[in-house]
Amino acid sequence: MQQPTRLERRIDDVAHRLLRGAPVRGARASAVEVGVFLLKQAWACVFGAALLLVIVAARLWWPDDAPLARNDALTISAVLIQAAMLAFRLETGRELWVIVLFHLTGTAMELFKTDVGSWSYAAEGVLRIGGVPLFSGFMYAAVGSYMVRVYRLFDLTFARYPRRWITAAVAAAIYANFFTHHVLWDARWVLLALVIVLWLPTEMHARVWRRTIRLPLLLVYAGVATFIYLAENIATWAGAWLYPDQLDGWHPVSATKLVSWFLLMIVSVVLVTFVYPPRAPGLSPTRGRQPEPPPGGRPA
């Protein structure tokens, strides 16, 4: 684990004690690896999962005539979740900076997109900038939280990762296109093709427990974008925001949004590389504790 927080060190110690006698080979060993993978993913998602839970709870139980507007309650809840992440050492101070950057870039996009009518929020509450309630920025921060935490929890390394200055230029172009396509030619398909060419050779190495899995990085991006798309469907069902074609009744978000989320993933990944520069496998030792090797050998 790379740069674990204090709480994660304690959890890591407990996990080592519990898994010390786990089988090295066979079906049970594979089941342990799958279980650890899922638990790490859940731990990485804690910010986003908590925020989504609050959004759904507000839809189901927040009274329409409550003195505090639902959007303001969501903003206060998001602030408390972020404060808890820091208080309980679930995020490092270094990671907070990139999460704040996610918040700012997301809020800027929200202000523009709501102004041009791409989506809208309920006109309620006072904790807002124009038509954008302040909790919206925390949804982007939740993505940032997941990205930096998953990088650390799985001790990610990358084979054949593109040069960072090239990825930064592509990410800047993608972010700009989210704004300029309303008045100029939409370059998303060109940008998508460029992303595929640039990252196609890249392979991600993720340490689970004793095993390190290797996956094409573009496949990972697509998987995370799909997960965010599913969360978006839950959030729009809960009325956090609505697209124009949902105003007369909710229905699933258009599948074309998957391309937008995929491209936004590129922006997210590039932001995270300024906190955790991509490492090639084997070039730099991790600073956290490594899994105990199986008897008579090194970790697989």
Side-chain angles (χ1 to χ4, degrees), residues 47-59:
F47 188 123
L51 186 57
L52 189 61
L53 183 63
V54 167
I55 289 173
V56 172
R59 160 66 187 267

Side-chain angles (χ1 to χ4, degrees), residues 99-246:
I99 292 169
V100 170
L101 187 56
F102 270 81
H103 197 297
L104 294 176
T105 56
T107 299
M109 185 183 296
E110 288 286 328
L111 289 168
F112 179 82
K113 289 290 190 178
T114 53
D115 187 60
V116 298
S118 295
W119 55 78
S120 60
Y121 293 89
E124 60 182 18
V126 296
L127 300 178
R128 58 195 300 115
I129 302 175
V132 179
L134 296 182
F135 80 82
S136 65
F138 286 94
M139 293 186 289
Y140 294 87
V143 175
S145 176
Y146 169 79
M147 296 296 297
V148 293
R149 286 163 60 76
V150 79
Y151 197 108
R152 176 160 45 81
L153 292 171
F154 286 93
D155 194 22
L156 299 183
T157 56
F158 305 89
R160 299 176 297 278
Y161 194 88
R163 293 184 181 274
R164 273 200 297 169
W165 71 267
I166 300 177
T167 66
V170 172
I174 290 171
Y175 186 71
N177 189 69
F178 281 114
F179 296 84
T180 59
H181 82 84
H182 290 279
V183 293
L184 301 173
W185 176 63
D186 188 355
R188 75 179 63 194
W189 299 109
V190 173
L191 292 168
L192 180 62
L194 185 58
V195 165
I196 292 173
V197 170
L198 193 60
W199 272 275
L200 185 61
T202 307
E203 183 180 68
M204 185 185 80
H205 296 204
R207 177 170 290 283
V208 182
W209 166 240
R210 289 187 174 119
R211 299 178 185 175
T212 296
I213 58 175
R214 302 179 180 184
L215 295 168
L217 192 55
L218 286 178
L219 180 62
V220 175
Y221 290 168
V224 176
T226 301
F227 182 81
I228 296 174
Y229 169 77
L230 295 175
E232 179 183 44
N233 275 279
I234 296 173
T236 54
W237 169 84
W241 73 92
L242 292 173
Y243 291 102
D245 60 353
Q246 294 176 320

Side-chain angles (χ1 to χ4, degrees), residues 8 21 24 27 34 37 40 43 65-66 89 125 149 162 172 206 211 222-223 231 244 247 249 253 265 278 297:
E8 287 170 344
V24 177
V34 171
F37 177 84
K40 281 187 173 183
W43 187 242
D65 57 351
R89 304 294 192 268
R149 286 163 60 76
R211 299 178 185 175
L247 294 176
V253 176
M265 276 296 305

